[in-house]
Amino acid sequence: MALPEIVSRDEWRAAREELLVREKAATRARDALNAERRRLPMVEIEEEYVFEGGDGKATLLDLFEGRGQLVVYHFMFAPEWDAGCRSCSAFLDQIGHLAHLKARGTTFAAVSRAPYTKLLPFKARMGWTVPWYSSNGDFNHDFEATLEVEGKPADRPGISCFLRDRDRVFHTYSTFARGLDGLGSTTSLLDLTALGRQEEWEEPEGRASALGAPAGSVRIRYHDEYED
C-alpha cells in the first residue's frame, strides 16, 4: 500500500502551508467561476410540463412550492426498473436538511421518468423526505437528462436550476455527470443557482436581496427555528 511519506511536524506544517496557498487560489477561482455562472442568460419555459407527486398532478410552477428558485435533481429511474439508480440514490443520501435551502427561497426536488407508484415505495425504503416527482413526458428529454441512444431513451444524472418571476419560469443552468462531483451541501447547490448564496460579497451585485429577504448568512438558524 502506497501511504503518505512520514515526516516531522515542522515538515508537515511547511508542506501544508505551501498547499494552502494553492487551495486559496482554487477558492478564488471557484468564486469567479460561480459569478460567471450567475451571469449566464436564462430561457423562459413556455411548455406545460405535467408531473405526478404526493399531491397528484403538478406543473413546473407547482414544484417551486411558492419559492423563487427550484433545483431539480434528474434521478435515473426508468419506467421499466423496479429500483432507482444506485449512484443517484447515494447522491440523495447526502442531501442535508432542506430547511436551509428553503430559508434562501430555494426548493429542491427530484424528478424521474418512472411512474410515481414505483417512486413512492422506493422513497419509503430509502427513508427520504425530499419531494420526488414522476415525469414520463418531454421534461427529461428537453433538459437533456434523457438522451436517445441507438433509438432508445437513456437517462443520465444531472441537475437543472430554475428561477421564478411571479408565474413566469426560467431555466438558468444545468449540469450532468462529473458536474455533480462535490455537490450535495446547501452552499454547493446554491452556487448553481442564478441568485447564488445571496451574500452581499457575491458578484454580480444586487442579487443578495432579490427575493426580498436579508443576505443569506444573516438568515441561518437551527433548522427547527425557521418559519417556512
Side-chain angles (χ1 to χ4, degrees):
M1 184 183 297
L3 298 176
E5 179 186 2
I6 300 174
V7 298
S8 68
R9 174 59 63 181
D10 288 341
E11 289 174 307
W12 178 88
R13 185 175 293 109
R16 176 69 189 95
E17 290 177 354
E18 181 181 348
L19 179 62
L20 182 59
V21 173
R22 297 170 63 185
E23 287 178 335
K24 288 184 176 180
T27 297
R28 289 191 290 270
R30 183 188 63 200
D31 288 343
L33 181 62
N34 289 338
E36 289 303 307
R37 183 184 293 114
R38 290 190 290 273
R39 290 188 178 97
L40 282 173
M42 59 186 184
V43 178
E44 185 166 7
I45 306 302
E46 298 178 347
E47 291 78 2
E48 303 259 337
Y49 297 113
V50 178
F51 305 85
E52 184 176 2
D55 295 326
K57 301 295 183 182
T59 65
L60 184 58
L61 185 63
D62 292 331
L63 269 57
F64 281 77
E65 297 179 349
R67 301 182 185 90
Q69 295 194 121
L70 171 67
V71 176
V72 168
Y73 179 65
H74 299 286
F75 191 111
M76 294 172 60
F77 198 145
E80 64 272 19
W81 295 359
D82 294 320
C85 164
R86 288 180 173 85
S87 295
C88 291
S89 298
F91 184 90
L92 276 198
D93 279 340
Q94 68 183 353
I95 297 297
H97 206 292
L98 296 180
H100 302 293
L101 277 174
K102 294 176 181 178
R104 288 169 173 82
T106 304
T107 298
F108 179 90
V111 171
S112 300
R113 290 194 301 120
Y116 189 70
T117 52
K118 286 190 174 182
L119 303 183
L120 190 58
F122 188 70
K123 178 180 178 180
R125 171 187 167 186
M126 294 292 100
W128 296 327
T129 58
V130 299
W132 198 0
Y133 297 89
S134 170
S135 174
N136 201 18
D138 295 332
F139 180 78
N140 275 29
H141 289 84
D142 289 352
F143 292 95
E144 301 180 13
T146 300
L147 306 175
E148 291 297 320
V149 178
E150 297 181 351
K152 296 181 180 180
D155 293 342
R156 59 174 176 166
I159 279 181
S160 292
C161 300
F162 302 89
L163 182 69
R164 181 174 71 90
D165 181 13
R166 298 180 177 85
D167 290 338
R168 301 173 69 188
V169 175
F170 301 88
H171 176 221
T172 61
Y173 183 73
S174 285
T175 189
F176 304 92
R178 289 296 303 275
L180 303 177
D181 286 0
L183 299 181
S185 66
T186 297
T187 51
S188 69
L189 293 174
L190 288 171
D191 283 342
L192 302 181
T193 67
L195 302 183
R197 305 182 190 187
Q198 298 158 47
E199 300 284 1
E200 294 291 356
W201 55 265
E202 288 182 311
E203 295 287 341
E205 296 181 358
R207 298 192 184 179
S209 57
L211 297 178
S217 59
V218 177
R219 284 178 271 164
I220 294 178
R221 304 284 186 272
Y222 295 113
H223 69 248
D224 61 354
E225 290 182 347
Y226 287 115
E227 294 181 8
D228 190 3

